[in-house]
Amino acid sequence: MAAEQPIPVYTNLSDLYGSLGTSLNHAEKWNSIAEEFQRRFGRKPAYIARAPGRVNLIGEHIDYCLFGVLPAAIEHDILIAIGRRPNLYAEDAPGSVVAENVQTKYTRQVFAPAPRRRASVSEEEVRLEEWHLDINTKQLRWESYVKAGYYGVLINYFTGGQDPASVDLLVTGTVPAGSGLSSSAAMVVASTLAFLAVNEKLEANFTGNGPKISKGQLVEMAVANEKRVGVNSGGMDQAASVISVPSSALYISFFPELSASSVPLPTGAIFIIANSLVVSDKAVTAKHNYNLRVVETLAAARILARHLELKVEKTEKVTLREVVGRLAGEVEEVGAMPVEWLLETLKRMEREIECLKPKKSSGEGQFGVTMEEMIEMSGMTADEFKEVYLSWVEVEATQFQLYKRAKHVFSEASRVLQFRQICLAAESSPSPSDVIKDLGKLMNESQTSCDELFQCSCPELNELTNIAKDAGAIGSRLTGAGWGGCTVSLVAEGDVDAFIKKVSATYGPYKGLQDTALREVIFATKPSSGACGEFLL
Ligand code: NG1
Ligand code: MG
C-alpha cells in the first residue's frame, strides 16, 4: 500500500492565501463582488473571503462519532466582501454589522453584539459573557451563519476590552442551500475569515508579526461556530472547506485528534453531483433527524462500552470511535494502531452490537428501544442519563434505533477505509475498470446502509440513485446529511455526457430544465482548493 502523505493541519494560515486556481473563474467573480460592494456601500471592500462547499464521497454521519470521512471541496463557493464603516453614526454600537446578500430573497440585516459583561444565567451558574449575539436557532435564517462566524471571532479575539470594527458586508454564493453540499459550513468559514481579516486578526500580505491563526484553529473555530446555529454537527464540512487541496479528496480523521491527508482519485473516475431538489431544512427538523442521530449514536456507544467492560466516566459522552480506541488502550490514544487492526476491530464491533437490540424484540427487524429501555441498558439512573445525553440538545422520539445506527456507523467507517486504500493502491498499480468498480460497490453499499440502517435517505434520493445506476453510474449515493439534497455518482470518464443526458430525461423534477438551470442541478465536479482570501486595501 502506498505510504500515507499527511497534510499538516496545524500549519500557518499563510497558505490560505494565494493560488486561487485560475480555471475556477475566480478573477471574474471576485471583481464582480468588489464592484457590487462599491455600488452598495460607496467604497471598495477591504477584504474578500472565499470558502467552498464540499461533496462527501463516502463516510456519512460518522464524523460526529469521530470516524474518518472522505470529502472533497467543490468549485461552488461562498464569497464575502467586507469593509470597515468609515462614518460611524452616534447610535452605532461598537462592532455593528450591516449585512447584505446579492440574492434578493435574503434581505438586509443590521445587528450588533450586546454590550460586554452581560450576565448570562444557566441553572446552576451565573457567568459573565464578554459578548452576546442573538442567533435564531429555531428558524433557518441566512444571517445566522454570518453571526455564528462573527461570534467566534468576538469570544476568541476580543477578550481584552478592545472594540471590534463596525462593518458592512456583502455575501454571494453558488453553493445551493439545504442540499448536502455544506453551504452552511462555507458561510461560517467565510464569515469567520472575513471578520478575522477586517479586525486585523489575520496577517495582511504576509508581513509583520506572522500569522495569528492556523488552519487547524480555523477549523476548530468554524466547527464551534456552526454548532451555535443549533445543529450538533461533526467537523467534516468545516475541515473540508478549510483544508482541501485541488485534484484530490481529503481523508479527514478526528481521532485521536483532527488530521487530514490527501487521497488521489483514480484517473478516469468522475464524480457527478445531482440535486434531488428536496430541500432539507435541518434547523427545523434536527430534533427528529440529525440531532436525534447524534444522541442515538452516543447512547449506543455508552451501552457498547458497558457491554465490553470499558471504563467511561459518568459524565463523559464517549463516542463510538473512542469505544474502539479504548479496546487498544493507550496505544490507540496516540493513534498508533494500523489500519488493518481497525478494519478487523470494526468487523468485531458489528458482532458486538447485538447488545444494542432490545431484550424482547417486537418483531423481525424491529430493533428500536424505548427511552426507559435505553436508560436501563446504559446502567445509569434516569437523571444521570438525561443530564449527560439529553440536557444539551432537543430531540423527539418514542423509539431509539441504537442497533441500526451503530451497524451503519461501523460498516460505513470500514467502507471509508477500504475506499481510501483502493485509491492509494491504484496510484501504483492502475487497472482503472476494476478500481472504479470496487469504489462504486462501496458507494452503493453506503447508500443502502444510509437508507435502511441510518434512515437518512428519502424516496426522491432513492429514486435518483437508482436512475443514476440505470444511466450508467457505477456507484451512486446520497451525500451530506441526507433527507433530501444531493446525490454523488461515480461515472467513467467516457460515459459522462450520456449519463447526464439520461438522468436529466428521467428524473421527474428535471423535466423542462435546460442549459444553466440544468447545469445547476446536475454537474461533474473537480476537487477544488480550500478557503482563502485577499486584502484589497
Ligand atoms: P450537511 O449535509 O452539509 O449539512 C451534515 C453535517 C456533517 C456530517 C453530515 C453527514 C452540518 C453542518 N454538517 O452535513 O458534519 O455529519 O451531515 O455525514 O450539520
Ligand atoms: Mg450544512
Side-chain angles (χ1 to χ4, degrees):
M1 195 181 43
E4 191 177 323
Q5 289 295 320
I7 295 174
V9 176
Y10 291 91
T11 54
N12 67 45
L13 190 73
S14 56
D15 44 323
L16 278 186
Y17 303 100
S19 69
L20 306 171
T22 43
S23 63
L24 304 186
N25 226 351
H26 271 120
E28 203 184 302
K29 280 201 320 204
W30 290 53
N31 289 341
S32 111
I33 191 174
E35 276 161 26
E36 185 60 23
F37 186 98
Q38 169 114 35
R39 206 180 61 73
R40 291 178 186 227
F41 299 112
R43 62 188 192 284
K44 270 175 96 165
Y47 184 82
I48 297 176
R50 165 192 180 262
R54 63 97 187 95
V55 56
N56 190 21
L57 302 181
I58 195 155
E60 228 58 82
H61 288 279
I62 61 173
D63 60 344
Y64 48 82
C65 307
L66 303 190
F67 279 107
V69 293
L70 232 158
I74 55 174
E75 289 144 314
H76 298 60
D77 52 18
I78 301 285
L79 296 183
I80 299 184
I82 195 166
R84 283 174 185 252
R85 199 170 318 125
N87 307 311
L88 293 187
Y89 304 107
E91 67 274 18
D92 270 0
S96 68
V97 177
V98 173
E100 296 198 9
N101 196 309
V102 169
Q103 273 188 273
T104 45
K105 68 174 174 189
Y106 300 130
T107 55
R108 173 192 167 101
Q109 300 292 322
V110 180
F111 53 88
R116 63 177 71 113
R117 309 234 175 271
R118 174 183 183 277
S120 116
V121 186
S122 74
E123 258 171 33
E124 348 54 356
E125 61 170 340
V126 177
R127 80 193 153 91
L128 292 178
E129 257 178 11
E130 282 218 78
W131 296 101
H132 178 80
L133 195 55
D134 266 327
I135 299 181
N136 189 332
T137 55
K138 299 276 173 254
Q139 250 180 6
L140 191 67
R141 300 199 51 94
W142 79 272
E143 75 280 8
S144 294
Y145 299 96
V146 175
K147 287 180 175 177
Y150 187 22
Y151 186 73
V153 174
L154 288 171
I155 59 166
N156 283 292
Y157 290 86
F158 287 91
T159 51
Q162 231 185 325
D163 279 339
S166 288
V167 300
D168 297 319
L169 66 82
L170 178 62
V171 178
T172 187
T174 51
V175 194
S179 65
L181 300 179
S182 270
S183 60
S184 56
M187 279 281 269
V188 172
V189 169
S191 159
T192 308
L193 262 182
F195 281 102
L196 284 169
V198 80
N199 284 296
E200 289 160 18
K201 305 298 175 194
L202 286 184
E203 199 52 52
N205 306 322
F206 316 123
T207 56
N209 305 322
K212 296 184 172 97
I213 178 179
S214 70
K215 281 189 188 186
Q217 284 167 322
L218 183 58
V219 172
E220 271 157 22
M221 260 174 89
V223 173
N225 291 346
E226 188 153 351
K227 289 206 168 111
R228 301 197 174 96
V229 188
V231 177
N232 287 280
S233 58
M236 157 165 71
D237 306 352
Q238 301 79 4
S241 186
V242 172
I243 308 168
S244 284
V245 287
S247 317
S248 29
L250 207 60
Y251 173 70
I252 304 172
S253 88
F254 306 93
F255 179 91
E257 60 191 4
L258 176 67
S259 70
S261 54
S262 64
V263 177
L265 294 171
T267 40
I270 305 288
F271 291 92
I272 298 188
I273 293 174
N275 194 333
S276 71
L277 295 175
V278 175
V279 173
S280 154
D281 181 353
K282 268 198 263 118
V284 178
T285 58
K287 64 172 177 238
H288 305 289
N289 58 36
Y290 195 94
N291 286 346
L292 175 59
R293 297 295 183 274
V294 175
V295 170
E296 284 172 323
T297 58
L298 285 171
R302 161 76 62 171
I303 296 164
L304 186 59
R306 183 176 184 226
H307 162 77
L308 295 168
E309 299 178 355
L310 298 169
K311 188 166 164 38
V312 179
E313 298 300 329
K314 266 267 146 68
T315 55
E316 189 186 5
K317 291 200 276 287
V318 70
T319 59
L320 286 168
R321 180 64 184 88
E322 286 163 326
V323 169
V324 168
R326 270 168 220 197
L327 282 175
E330 279 170 31
V331 199
E332 254 286 280
E333 269 163 44
V334 292
M337 294 303 273
V339 174
E340 290 68 25
W341 175 84
L342 187 51
L343 281 166
E344 269 312 303
T345 312
L346 287 169
K347 261 195 227 144
R348 173 179 163 199
M349 288 300 133
E350 285 191 56
R351 297 189 299 271
E352 300 284 3
I353 55 177
E354 288 295 316
C355 71
L356 300 173
K357 288 183 178 170
K359 301 250 158 43
K360 314 179 279 293
S361 180
S362 48
E364 193 59 27
Q366 297 303 306
F367 300 129
V369 295
T370 62
M371 173 82 82
E372 290 67 37
E373 283 172 307
M374 176 165 70
I375 293 173
E376 201 203 311
M377 289 156 85
S378 75
M380 298 166 90
T381 67
D383 284 349
E384 284 165 355
F385 187 93
K386 286 181 181 160
E387 176 59 30
V388 176
Y389 291 106
L390 299 165
S391 63
W392 45 277
V393 66
E394 201 188 335
V395 296
E396 258 177 45
T398 47
Q399 291 279 308
F400 297 81
Q401 298 289 345
L402 309 180
Y403 172 78
K404 286 189 184 178
R405 308 310 180 227
K407 192 164 170 65
H408 165 78
V409 171
F410 289 132
S411 62
E412 185 79 352
S414 161
R415 284 186 286 272
V416 170
L417 294 172
Q418 294 173 54
F419 196 99
R420 172 166 160 268
Q421 279 182 323
I422 294 170
C423 291
L424 291 173
E427 261 199 312
S428 42
S429 67
S431 158
S433 59
D434 280 358
V435 167
I436 294 184
K437 233 192 261 150
D438 293 346
L439 297 180
K441 184 165 173 273
L442 291 169
M443 291 173 72
N444 291 336
E445 286 167 8
S446 166
Q447 172 60 25
T448 306
S449 182
C450 282
D451 181 32
E452 293 173 3
L453 297 173
F454 216 74
Q455 295 174 293
C456 61
S457 191
C458 66
E460 294 83 353
L461 284 169
N462 290 344
E463 187 193 346
L464 191 49
T465 50
N466 285 332
I467 291 176
K469 284 183 273 183
D470 290 344
I474 303 145
S476 186
R477 55 182 298 279
L478 65 85
T479 183
W483 297 291
C486 289
T487 59
V488 57
S489 301
L490 172 55
V491 177
E493 202 163 16
D495 300 341
V496 168
D497 290 343
F499 170 82
I500 292 184
K501 241 193 221 131
K502 268 194 204 150
V503 176
S504 312
T506 321
Y507 185 55
Y510 291 175
K511 296 253 161 74
L513 296 182
Q514 266 163 5
D515 307 327
T516 321
L518 192 59
R519 277 196 300 276
E520 275 174 18
V521 297
I522 180 165
F523 51 87
T525 179
K526 269 205 305 264
S528 129
S529 53
C532 58
E534 198 174 296
F535 287 95
L536 305 186
L537 294 180

